[in-house]
Amino acid sequence: MPLIDGLTTLWDKLLSAQPAPPPLLVLITAAVALAVVATRVPWRVARNAVTIAHEGGHALAALLTGRKLRGVRLHSDTSGLTLSAGRPTGPGMVLTLLAGYIAPSLIGLAGGWLLAGNRITLLLWIAVALLLAMLVLIRNVFGVLSLLVTGGVVLAVSWYASPQVQAAFAWTSVWFLLFGGVRPVFELQRVRSRGRMPESDADQLARLTPFPALFWVAVFALVNLAVLVGGALLLAGPILSDAGLTL
C-alpha cells in the first residue's frame, strides 16, 4: 500500500545514520557556536533558543513531578516564565526550579549522543516535535512567534537542505546549546551580585532548601561544565576517529 510504503520510507529515513562529518566541520561548527556565545550581539539574538530550552526544562520537570502546568511565556528581552500549580514546597517544586538552568546543556548532551551515532535527521525532527509540543503551552504572542520561527528554521533545514548543510546546522546547534548553557549561569550570578534578581531560580531554591543561593548557582555551573565536557567528547568523535582514537 502506498501509505504504508511511504511511512516505512519515512521511518527508515529517520532512523538511518548519515555519513560522519569531516573533522574540519566539527572544529568549524564548534568555533562558530563559541563565537556566537562569546559575542554580544549574536548572543543577544541566539539566546532566545537557550531561553526556550530553559523554560522547556521547567515545564517538563513540572509535568514529571505531577504539577499542573499553567503555561509558558517567552519575552523579547530573552527572559521567560513558566507557571505551574501545586505544592509551593517539596521535591516537585525543587526539581522544577532546578531544571531550568541545566536543561539547555542536557538537551545539548542528548543531541551530542544522537550526532555521535550520525542520526542527524532524527535529531532535527525530534527538535521540531519538541518545539511543536511546547507551542501548545505558550501564552504570549512573542513566545508563539519565537517558537514558530525557530521550528520553521529547523524544519526547513531538515526538509530542504543538503546533507552537508544539515550536518553543519546540527553540529553548530548542539555545540551552541552546550556552550550556551554555561554563559547564563555566570550572567545570573553577576546580576544577583547587584541585587537585581531576588526571585531567580537560585534564590527560590535557597528559600525551599537549607542551601544558600550561591550553592545552587555553583550546582548549575558544575553540572553544565561537566555536561559540556561530556558533550564535547561525543561531538569530537570524527576527530578522534581520524586520529585513530576511540572514546
Side-chain angles (χ1 to χ4, degrees), residues 21-38 43 46 49-50 104-116 123-124 166-184 224-240 247:
L24 182 60
L25 181 140
V26 177
L27 291 174
I28 291 174
T29 55
V32 170
L34 182 58
V36 170
V37 172
W43 170 246
V50 175
S105 294
L106 292 178
I107 294 172
L109 182 64
W113 177 75
L114 287 172
L115 291 183
L123 169 66
L124 295 176
Q166 289 185 13
F169 180 83
W171 253 265
T172 303
S173 299
V174 172
W175 277 119
F176 172 74
L177 286 173
L178 290 170
F179 289 128
V182 175
R183 177 167 174 171
N224 290 354
L225 287 170
V227 170
L228 171 58
V229 173
L233 290 174
L234 288 172
L235 292 175
I239 299 175
L240 296 177
L247 292 177

Side-chain angles (χ1 to χ4, degrees), residues 51-72 81-85 91-104 106-107 110 126 129-131 133-135 137-138:
T51 302
I52 291 172
H54 179 114
E55 299 305 328
H58 283 316
L60 179 60
L63 290 173
L64 291 177
T65 56
R67 298 181 63 79
K68 187 173 182 180
L69 198 57
R70 298 293 191 188
V72 176
L81 179 66
T82 298
L83 298 173
S84 63
M93 191 63 195
V94 170
L95 290 174
T96 298
L97 290 168
L98 179 63
Y101 275 98
I102 64 175
L106 292 178
I107 294 172
I126 288 175
L130 291 174
L131 289 167
M134 190 171 175
L135 184 61
L137 305 173
I138 297 296

Side-chain angles (χ1 to χ4, degrees), residues 3-18 117-123 125:
L3 179 59
I4 295 178
D5 291 341
L7 290 174
T8 301
T9 302
L10 178 61
W11 186 252
D12 290 340
K13 180 181 179 180
L14 281 175
L15 296 183
S16 63
Q18 286 72 46
N118 296 317
R119 298 301 199 276
I120 299 172
T121 302
L122 181 60
L123 169 66
W125 281 47

